[in-house]
Amino acid sequence: MVKPFFFRNHPAVPSLEERIEKIKKENVPAHVAIIMDGNGRWAKKRSLPRVAGHHEGMKVVRKITIIADKLNIKVLTLYAFSTENWKRPKKEVEYLMKLPEEFLGIYLPELVEKNVRVQMIGDFDSLPPHTRRAVRKAMEDTKDNDGMILNFALNYGGRSEILSAVKGIVRDVNLGKLSLDQLDEERFSSYLMTHQLGDPDLLIRTSGELRLSNFMLWQMAYTEFWFTDAYWPDFDEHCFLDALEEYQKRSRRFGGI
Ligand code: FPP
């Protein structure tokens, strides 16, 4: 339910605050993951360069972080760059690698102030040094915050994460630190980058694409999916609440009845 701006102040249309008020506090997803898609198409529709869409998308990251925190969501994971995104034109990759710096350069003080903790999953070591510096600083400056975790999936791939976990397990088995009998789903999860974050309860993907794109493949076994046609730069707090309201109507059975 994306409402045009001019309807939002109309008394018949619930305001953001009214909608937030109606969210059932006891059934808020603890972990929300988002595939922020459609930046390029948003820009193309406006005859702008693709990177203009990424830049606009960065502002939406702030908006959604603030409302997620307000709703008491514990972890917000945002897919900012996949291991496959290196295939994009060099200039676009360079721009995407500068975005964390720009985002954190502007908003880190606000995140610190809001008690948000910044974390990252993905291959940190293969990021350019300037991106590593910005992300490391944000993680360091917010490490004592115990509010919402804003977790960027950056240079992240689900298959590669699973493969690393398997390698870690084989290594520990060979070292005698782990026996195969001890290996169960919980133990396997402890070798993943998300071991302290838990599995997402809700996945949101924007821009009308209906696929996972190598995102948290193990972790999404029982995640609720919610898709919208809105491009990420057009996504806003009302769209986020649409997703949450729908989530609260779902019955999660985890394979039971
Ligand atoms: C997918 O849209 C989007 C990305 C690959 C980048 C996502 C990055 C942001 C939203 C910016 C915020 C990032 C940080 C770190 C604050 P697309 O380019 O594939 O869009 P298209 O499918 O329309 O071409």
Side-chain angles (χ1 to χ4, degrees), residues 80-96:
F81 193 90
S82 76
T83 44
E84 289 71 40
N85 286 152
W86 295 106
K87 291 181 206 149
R88 294 185 176 212
K90 190 164 169 273
K91 285 265 170 267
E92 184 172 342
V93 169
E94 280 172 5
Y95 191 87
L96 285 169

Side-chain angles (χ1 to χ4, degrees), residues 79 81 83 119-127 151-157 160-161 193-194:
Y79 205 5
F81 193 90
T83 44
Q119 293 201 331
M120 187 204 129
I121 52 171
D123 179 2
F124 179 82
D125 294 340
S126 311
L127 293 170
N151 178 40
F152 287 107
L154 199 56
N155 196 15
Y156 173 86
S160 131
E161 183 191 28
M193 292 165 178
T194 48

Side-chain angles (χ1 to χ4, degrees), residues 109-212:
E110 194 180 1
L111 297 174
V112 172
E113 191 257 317
K114 288 198 176 302
N115 193 27
V116 170
R117 179 167 183 192
V118 177
Q119 293 201 331
M120 187 204 129
I121 52 171
D123 179 2
F124 179 82
D125 294 340
S126 311
L127 293 170
H130 60 95
T131 315
R132 284 205 302 261
R133 251 193 317 274
V135 173
R136 194 185 290 117
K137 178 178 177 348
M139 293 196 295
E140 184 57 33
D141 288 3
T142 61
K143 71 174 191 318
D144 296 323
N145 290 357
D146 58 5
M148 189 181 80
I149 294 174
L150 174 59
N151 178 40
F152 287 107
L154 199 56
N155 196 15
Y156 173 86
R159 286 186 174 180
S160 131
E161 183 191 28
I162 291 171
L163 203 54
S164 297
V166 171
K167 287 181 184 172
I169 289 165
V170 172
R171 200 180 313 114
D172 284 351
V173 168
N174 287 340
L175 288 170
K177 287 191 195 167
L178 178 74
S179 78
L180 281 185
D181 301 338
Q182 289 172 308
L183 189 60
D184 56 13
E185 292 184 10
E186 199 183 331
R187 187 61 72 105
F188 187 91
S189 299
S190 74
Y191 283 82
L192 296 171
M193 292 165 178
T194 48
H195 62 280
Q196 281 167 335
L197 301 171
D199 298 340
D201 299 291
L202 172 65
L203 168 77
I204 295 172
R205 183 170 188 152
T206 59
S207 91
E209 305 295 348
L210 309 178
R211 56 177 170 267
L212 267 183

Side-chain angles (χ1 to χ4, degrees), residues 1-2 13 33 41-42 68 73 90 99 127 129 160 177 236 242:
M1 186 179 57
V2 185
V13 178
R41 278 164 284 166
W42 180 92
I73 283 163
K90 190 164 169 273
L99 271 183
L127 293 170
S160 131
K177 287 191 195 167
D236 66 6
D242 291 343

Side-chain angles (χ1 to χ4, degrees), residues 36-41 50 54 80 85 88 96 99 103 232:
M36 310 178 287
D37 199 5
N39 295 348
R41 278 164 284 166
R50 290 177 54 80
H54 296 316
N85 286 152
R88 294 185 176 212
L96 285 169
L99 271 183
F103 175 82
W232 178 250

